Amino acid sequence: GQQVMQIPQYQHVQEGEDFTTYCNSSTTLSNIQWYKQRPGGHPVFLIQLVKSGEVKKQKRLTFQFGEAKKNSSLHITATQTTDVGTYFCALNSGGSNYKLTFGKGTLLTVNP
Amino acid sequence: GAGVSQSPSNKVTEKGKDVELRCDPISGHTALYWYRQSLGQGLEFLIYFQGNSAPDKSGLPSDRFSAERTGGSVSTLTIQRTQQEDSAVYLCASSLAMLGLGGSPLHFGNGTRLTVT
């Protein structure tokens, strides 16, 4: 089955520092989605990447899809306390594969 | 409009009892997903519905777990003879379209926190 590895598992930063989480798949992907889950909350959709080498930005967040469509990253510039939460990548292999397989997530904590 | 609604929000049950968890998706969303999340862990895929059909039930942990969806809307996840290892948050999500057709974001409910004592 599809394997997904997300690293690091935890990241603690000082407010203002940058943060990056990486997601790697064992198979070529159709698309990848990123979600954020605040403590005590439910996952909320952030973005979807579809094209090889795609880069998308949302304010301080930069999302990248690898050229081979097997890995992705989420980078946050100058973290704020509001960025605290767990960031999940979610993988879809496309075709008749409807499953959205989630990584284990990266828990980000920010020290003010 | 209203988001995905799950009930109950919390459920405490004794080992061996049956429980039913309910999910009311966003109106018009044809796809419905059930995931399980243990404390501090990722999301474990359980089952997916397209309309009322569940093409793949292989994510269900055991035959004590079953799910159905009626009228292309509400879904129930039933756990029979609950065990302590079933304790987790059960999350339901819905989306507009089936994955693989350009993908579609999942909209999650707040989940049902199940505790088996």
Side-chain angles (χ1 to χ4, degrees):
Chain A
Q2 187 170 67
Q3 303 278 337
V4 52
M5 178 182 293
Q6 193 173 351
I7 56 172
Q9 190 174 0
Y10 306 98
Q11 186 76 60
H12 177 74
V13 300
Q14 289 292 128
E15 190 171 22
E17 292 181 339
D18 292 356
F19 160 76
T20 305
T21 175
Y22 300 90
C23 186
N24 295 293
S25 168
S26 58
T27 59
T28 302
L29 303 169
S30 170
N31 58 73
I32 189 166
Q33 299 179 9
W34 285 92
Y35 291 77
K36 176 183 179 181
Q37 184 175 25
R38 293 182 185 274
H42 57 269
V44 174
F45 174 78
L46 293 176
I47 207 159
Q48 176 174 269
L49 304 172
V50 179
K51 299 177 183 176
S52 169
E54 187 171 18
V55 178
K56 287 188 175 180
K57 294 191 176 185
Q58 288 180 350
K59 297 182 181 178
R60 294 178 294 102
L61 277 61
T62 302
F63 303 84
Q64 190 163 3
F65 204 5
E67 293 290 342
K69 299 184 74 173
K70 296 180 75 172
N71 58 74
S72 180
S73 64
L74 158 59
H75 180 81
I76 303 178
T77 304
T79 53
Q80 300 175 358
T81 55
T82 53
D83 296 325
V84 165
T86 301
Y87 293 84
F88 292 98
C89 61
L91 314 182
N92 171 240
S93 296
S96 61
N97 184 347
Y98 50 83
K99 285 183 184 178
L100 197 58
T101 302
F102 281 75
K104 292 190 181 297
T106 296
L107 172 60
L108 171 66
T109 55
V110 180
N111 199 29
Chain B
V4 177
S5 177
Q6 290 188 247
S7 61
S9 55
N10 279 285
K11 177 71 176 179
V12 179
T13 190
E14 290 181 352
K15 177 181 173 181
K17 294 284 180 69
D18 297 353
V19 295
E20 264 193 11
L21 312 180
R22 176 188 168 106
C23 174
D24 203 339
I26 293 173
S27 178
H29 280 194
T30 56
L32 186 147
Y33 299 76
W34 284 98
Y35 287 86
R36 179 168 72 173
Q37 186 173 34
S38 300
L39 186 63
Q41 299 298 309
L43 278 71
E44 177 187 4
F45 172 85
L46 298 179
I47 192 169
Y48 155 87
F49 288 92
Q50 178 65 17
N52 292 335
S53 299
D56 189 338
K57 304 176 182 178
S58 62
L60 295 175
S62 75
D63 58 9
R64 297 185 295 104
F65 288 72
S66 63
E68 65 175 14
R69 189 180 186 193
T70 55
S73 182
V74 172
S75 175
T76 55
L77 177 68
T78 301
I79 309 174
Q80 296 178 310
R81 305 181 302 282
T82 51
Q83 304 293 314
Q84 287 184 333
E85 60 262 28
D86 299 334
S87 296
V89 175
Y90 289 81
L91 290 163
C92 175
S94 69
S95 72
L96 269 174
M98 185 165 66
L99 293 174
L101 300 177
S104 187
L106 301 192
H107 300 262
F108 283 86
N110 288 329
T112 293
R113 181 177 299 279
L114 175 66
T115 304
V116 182
T117 60

